[in-house]
Amino acid sequence: MSDASDDFDDYDQGSEFDFEDESFGGSDYGDNEGFEEVKPESTKLKAYEVAHQVLSTADIQQRQDSQISQVASILGLSRESVTVLLLYFKWNNDRLLEQYTEDPEGILNKAGISADDDSKKREYKIKPVDGFMCDICCEDRPGLMTFALECDHRFCYDCYKQYITQKIMDEGESRNIQCPGDSCSLVVNNEGIRLIAEDRVYRRYLTLLNRTFVQDNEHLRWCPAPNCEYAIKCDDVSTKDLKTVVPTVQCACGYRFCFGCGLADHQPCICVLVKKWIKKCEDDSETANWISANTKECPKCMATIEKNGGCNHMTCRKCKYEFCWICIGSWAEHGTSWYNCSRYDEKSGVEARDNQAKSRASLERYLHYYNRYANHEQSAKLDKDLYLRTEKKMTQLQSTSGMSWIEVQYLAQASAVLQQCRQTLKWTYAFAFYLEQNNQTHLFEDNQKDLEMAVEQLSELFEKPIQELAGLKVTVMDKTAYVNNRRQILLEDTAKGLRDGRWWYQVEIK
Amino acid sequence: MYKSQNSRTNTAVRRLMTEYKQLINEAPDGISAGPIDEDNFFEWECLIQGPEDTPFEGGVFPATLTFPKDYPLSPPTMKFTCDMFHPNVYKDGTVCISILHAPGDDPNMYESASERWSPIQSVEKILISVMSMLAEPNDESGANIDACKVWRNDRAEYNRIVKANVRKTLGL
């Protein structure tokens, strides 16, 4: 599979991963050494996929190195100085080259590099100096080891080490560790740090450097999964595209997430709506449930009212409107026959109920989508359980039916597909909540319905007792393939819709 | 463990003695400082003159400096022992100024590391900073909120209180 996204150098990266999940398509992590290459049916990405690569720490290091070499050869500076420059310019080559050609001295100065560094490259050395007294600890015994940068702010080795260690370990600084000398802005570069710092501190320094490299680059993002050390590179997506694509990427650790916002896979819903939805749910859901069950609104000012006792003659605290709790009609029309409230068809009562119905309907609508969303989220939380049970089932199946390990893998596959589909379904409800009703939306809802139905069927199959399950292998496999297919159809259609601007939202998308 | 702690203390004492010598030899204007007791170099007393053209003018303000055992890695604390009405001085006299905050310790969450304490700073620089702080309060990070309010809204009243304190320190 060729990789369209590689505008860097042509080193072969990713060869240490043997992760390839062809059933989901599009996960391209390079060659699988030692395995026969699996050729996917089509090298073209589906509409809902984005090209991306997984980078290991070594790859990131390599990329940094190659960028440094590239710039160093253009500018004719030492690698150490170029590193400092690149850090100062947040790894933005173009900006660096442009500004440097305009004012080399000024830029070197600003970035904290001694201007005469490169013409007669100085070697950093830890050495004793005669008659020296350290300005920090005031130690002046002969043979004291000292260190200084080009600025000649010389301190004893111990104090310097202490200073560097504090900067790196306590403050987490890597980009801009300046000379400890008073108001000196010269930066202690990689070479200096390596010379002075202990091993563990230097390692930490390199980790921090790698981190800034990824953080500063808009085409790179760390995988947010716990303990995962990979970064994802995705070139085709920039922030302004996020309204029309959902750039979902998969890390070598298996975690799927959105490159745009870093949240877990939320296809087919776009990032803005995801944020709105999550916020709405945090604010609203339970409260809305309770309101719906326990309150009515004042027909005049729409204040939410909980009736906690007394008769049906209500007087709104807020607007002083008097109404009947039973029919929501104006109290004036009840006269003295208020007790059985026979005024069902009174005009004002009907109108008031209409109004009430409208605001209830919007609540109901939200709850409709929320309940379905929450249901799938709950199911997703049970995924771990499900998977453990699957594993148990597989061992059982192996011992009872005499099937081999490879033959029962279809259950693991089914479980994985089920989990992924629930994740997708969950977000279809958030997406649908914000969609304007039109013919396009009907198509979307049909797709959603089909997927929902297929998922339920597969889920049902999955719960069957173990004896039956053995005989259902082909059925389960068929269903799995079908479900996965439905999911792809839904995602494909939504993604195309996003690209073509086919969806209309009830809220404004900024 | 003992050894390293001892050597730290030795470093601190050596450094404090050097600073003391320097302060005696080339005392800057308006500042004097030294240990209260020559047996304990970790407690200093200092006097700061009120800067000219400010309501503090004419006053001499006593304060104590308390040094930690790992000085100069960590900064000392400074506390005025007279009445001090100033936006950046707590009501108990403790001075709140960025140079006295260790890196990583930022009570007001806005100071850059470069303004804060580093081992290359010194007693002399602290006292000079405090002097300029007296002249130009920073009301964005107030330690004494009342003083901040008065300083911002009613400068005449602020000047009056400060001048009263000046007279008090002079024993008038």
Side-chain angles (χ1 to χ4, degrees):
Chain A
M1 210 187 223
S2 76
D3 203 323
S5 64
D6 200 348
D7 64 357
F8 262 88
D9 299 57
D10 53 349
Y11 38 76
D12 173 24
Q13 59 82 37
S15 52
E16 60 261 57
F17 311 125
D18 52 8
F19 186 92
E20 181 86 303
D21 196 344
E22 75 266 43
S23 67
F24 301 139
S27 359
D28 174 20
Y29 305 116
D31 303 328
N32 289 342
E33 278 169 11
F35 288 94
E36 201 183 320
E37 205 179 325
V38 183
K39 284 256 190 278
E41 311 91 66
S42 150
T43 49
K44 227 180 122 235
L45 286 170
K46 299 201 173 60
Y48 59 89
E49 290 169 335
V50 288
H52 61 277
Q53 293 172 284
V54 182
L55 305 181
S56 68
T57 320
D59 295 327
I60 295 164
Q61 188 71 55
Q62 210 174 3
R63 265 163 207 266
Q64 279 184 54
D65 287 349
S66 79
Q67 194 175 348
I68 292 166
S69 308
Q70 191 198 346
V71 177
S73 68
I74 296 175
L75 298 184
L77 296 171
S78 74
R79 289 180 57 89
E80 281 74 25
S81 302
V82 169
T83 313
V84 175
L85 276 176
L86 278 168
L87 283 168
Y88 180 76
F89 281 96
K90 303 203 161 179
W91 298 94
N92 188 333
N93 268 8
D94 300 337
R95 221 156 55 85
L96 162 61
L97 294 177
E98 192 188 303
Q99 297 197 15
Y100 185 81
T101 37
E102 269 174 26
D103 177 17
E105 298 245 320
I107 293 299
L108 284 177
N109 216 343
K110 270 194 213 154
I113 300 167
S114 155
D116 59 16
D117 151 50
D118 284 277
S119 45
K120 40 180 184 217
K121 194 175 169 324
R122 268 178 80 145
E123 233 181 280
Y124 291 143
K125 241 187 200 154
I126 300 173
K127 59 176 182 195
V129 170
D130 284 343
F132 171 81
M133 188 193 77
C134 171
D135 275 347
I136 295 175
C137 63
C138 302
E139 182 69 72
D140 58 357
R141 73 186 142 78
L144 185 68
M145 296 311 264
T146 69
F147 181 80
L149 296 177
E150 292 87 346
C151 53
D152 256 334
H153 292 125
R154 192 165 286 281
F155 300 98
C156 82
Y157 172 62
D158 283 342
C159 286
Y160 226 112
K161 190 162 89 180
Q162 174 73 34
Y163 171 77
I164 299 280
T165 308
Q166 187 181 31
K167 282 279 172 202
I168 295 169
M169 304 305 274
D170 298 351
E171 291 176 52
E173 184 64 72
S174 63
R175 201 182 278 149
N176 191 21
I177 300 178
Q178 295 178 339
C179 162
D182 196 18
S183 64
C184 176
S185 59
L186 222 56
V187 170
V188 188
N189 65 26
N190 194 327
E191 194 190 343
I193 305 273
R194 190 174 49 217
L195 197 64
I196 301 162
E198 289 166 33
D199 246 15
R200 105 198 132 90
V201 178
Y202 184 62
R203 274 202 304 276
R204 175 83 187 148
Y205 171 75
L206 292 181
T207 316
L208 289 170
L209 274 189
N210 280 345
R211 214 175 268 177
T212 65
F213 179 71
V214 173
Q215 274 161 2
D216 289 347
N217 191 327
E218 69 159 336
H219 296 302
L220 290 176
R221 194 187 257 282
W222 290 109
C223 169
N227 297 325
C228 179
E229 293 199 333
Y230 293 114
I232 308 286
K233 178 170 161 55
C234 182
D235 286 314
D236 306 336
V237 181
S238 71
T239 332
K240 60 179 189 301
D241 297 334
L242 290 178
K243 275 181 254 175
T244 51
V245 274
V246 187
T248 309
V249 295
Q250 178 159 0
C251 177
C253 72
Y255 187 70
R256 292 171 60 82
F257 66 98
C258 170
F259 191 83
C261 63
L263 292 171
D265 174 15
H266 58 69
Q267 273 177 330
C269 196
I270 54 175
C271 298
V272 211
L273 293 181
V274 167
K275 274 191 203 107
K276 272 188 199 294
W277 176 256
I278 288 175
K279 180 147 195 313
K280 187 170 177 61
C281 293
E282 276 171 357
D283 293 349
D284 279 0
S285 59
E286 284 312 301
T287 321
N289 259 327
W290 188 89
I291 290 172
S292 168
N294 296 300
T295 69
K296 293 185 181 180
E297 278 132 35
C298 165
K300 201 161 169 216
C301 71
M302 295 296 157
T304 309
I305 297 168
E306 179 196 9
K307 188 167 168 2
N308 58 0
C311 70
N312 287 329
H313 179 179
M314 306 298 289
T315 306
C316 177
R317 280 272 178 83
K318 233 168 125 188
C319 67
K320 308 289 179 226
Y321 182 70
E322 293 179 41
F323 65 99
C324 167
W325 182 255
I326 303 293
C327 70
I328 312 291
S330 162
W331 190 255
E333 286 157 22
H334 281 65
T336 46
S337 65
W338 54 274
Y339 207 77
N340 31 14
C341 184
S342 56
R343 308 284 142 165
Y344 185 79
D345 285 323
E346 277 327 323
K347 194 169 156 267
S348 72
V350 173
E351 267 173 16
R353 276 194 298 274
D354 272 0
N355 263 339
Q356 189 119 41
K358 232 182 252 166
S359 86
R360 289 293 138 150
S362 89
L363 235 168
E364 290 295 322
R365 180 170 178 277
Y366 165 64
L367 286 176
H368 167 93
Y369 289 110
Y370 178 75
N371 285 333
R372 278 151 188 80
Y373 167 88
N375 177 36
H376 284 295
E377 186 166 64
Q378 183 58 25
S379 309
K381 276 184 189 145
L382 296 171
D383 276 350
K384 211 178 165 192
D385 253 16
L386 186 68
Y387 188 70
L388 290 178
R389 273 184 288 152
T390 317
E391 272 199 317
K392 216 157 139 202
K393 275 186 189 173
M394 287 197 294
T395 26
Q396 274 180 11
L397 213 50
Q398 282 176 61
S399 54
T400 54
S401 66
M403 281 168 133
S404 68
W405 179 82
I406 202 95
E407 277 176 299
V408 294
Q409 281 311 299
Y410 73 98
L411 277 180
Q413 174 87 11
S415 163
V417 168
L418 207 52
Q419 288 173 29
Q420 203 168 24
C421 286
R422 287 206 186 278
Q423 180 80 3
T424 307
L425 271 173
K426 183 175 118 176
W427 286 110
T428 60
Y429 286 107
F431 191 59
F433 175 74
Y434 290 108
L435 278 184
E436 199 78 71
Q437 278 294 328
N438 57 26
N439 288 341
Q440 302 292 345
T441 327
H442 286 311
L443 278 179
F444 175 77
E445 280 165 355
D446 284 347
N447 278 329
Q448 186 188 34
K449 194 178 73 193
D450 286 345
L451 178 58
E452 181 84 62
M453 227 158 67
V455 164
E456 280 315 306
Q457 285 166 355
L458 180 60
S459 188
E460 205 180 317
L461 272 180
F462 211 69
E463 303 280 335
K464 286 248 192 294
I466 198 82
Q467 309 86 293
E468 279 179 58
L469 211 48
L472 288 171
K473 179 174 175 182
V474 180
T475 323
V476 171
M477 285 175 80
D478 284 352
K479 210 44 155 186
T480 309
Y482 176 70
V483 168
N484 200 32
N485 202 11
R486 291 303 329 168
R487 177 175 165 274
Q488 287 180 9
I489 290 171
L490 184 136
L491 290 180
E492 186 92 18
D493 181 61
T494 332
K496 277 186 185 146
L498 283 172
R499 218 175 37 201
D500 308 342
R502 223 191 307 143
W503 310 118
W504 296 75
Y505 306 110
Q506 301 194 351
V507 285
E508 207 187 327
I509 305 290
K510 268 174 265 149
Chain B
M1 188 68 202
Y2 275 107
K3 201 177 168 195
S4 82
Q5 233 170 25
N6 266 337
S7 81
R8 262 226 180 124
T9 314
N10 287 342
T11 303
V13 171
R14 190 168 53 233
R15 160 86 183 235
L16 285 167
M17 277 168 83
T18 317
E19 283 197 49
Y20 181 40
K21 259 184 243 162
Q22 275 170 3
L23 275 171
I24 291 173
N25 290 340
E26 8 179 327
D29 282 350
I31 290 168
S32 85
I36 301 170
D37 174 358
E38 301 253 330
D39 291 335
N40 177 10
F41 260 88
F42 291 94
E43 291 284 340
W44 283 31
E45 183 166 44
C46 53
L47 292 171
I48 296 180
Q49 262 179 30
E52 283 172 26
D53 301 324
T54 73
F56 292 95
E57 186 173 354
V60 177
F61 304 96
T64 55
L65 279 167
T66 310
F67 296 90
K69 296 283 178 240
D70 63 348
Y71 184 80
L73 298 179
S74 304
T77 51
M78 182 170 173
K79 195 171 170 177
F80 279 104
T81 49
C82 58
D83 283 345
M84 179 55 84
F85 187 74
H86 186 279
N88 304 112
V89 179
Y90 288 98
K91 283 183 177 157
D92 70 349
T94 308
V95 179
C96 176
I97 183 173
S98 57
I99 195 175
L100 289 179
H101 297 148
D105 162 35
D106 184 354
N108 299 309
M109 302 303 289
Y110 78 102
E111 296 159 4
S112 76
S114 62
E115 317 181 300
R116 285 182 256 156
W117 176 255
S118 85
I120 203 71
Q121 307 291 4
S122 63
V123 173
E124 182 184 332
K125 279 185 192 130
I126 293 172
L127 296 181
I128 290 172
S129 299
V130 170
M131 245 175 121
S132 70
M133 175 200 84
L134 289 181
E136 289 165 31
N138 172 7
D139 67 333
E140 271 163 34
S141 67
N144 182 343
I145 303 298
D146 294 336
C148 278
K149 265 177 80 178
V150 178
W151 184 76
R152 218 180 298 181
N153 301 330
D154 190 352
R155 198 58 66 85
E157 172 68 3
Y158 173 78
N159 291 348
R160 193 190 62 74
I161 299 176
V162 170
K163 278 183 184 144
N165 283 340
V166 168
R167 276 194 296 278
K168 237 189 258 175
T169 62
L170 299 174
L172 296 173

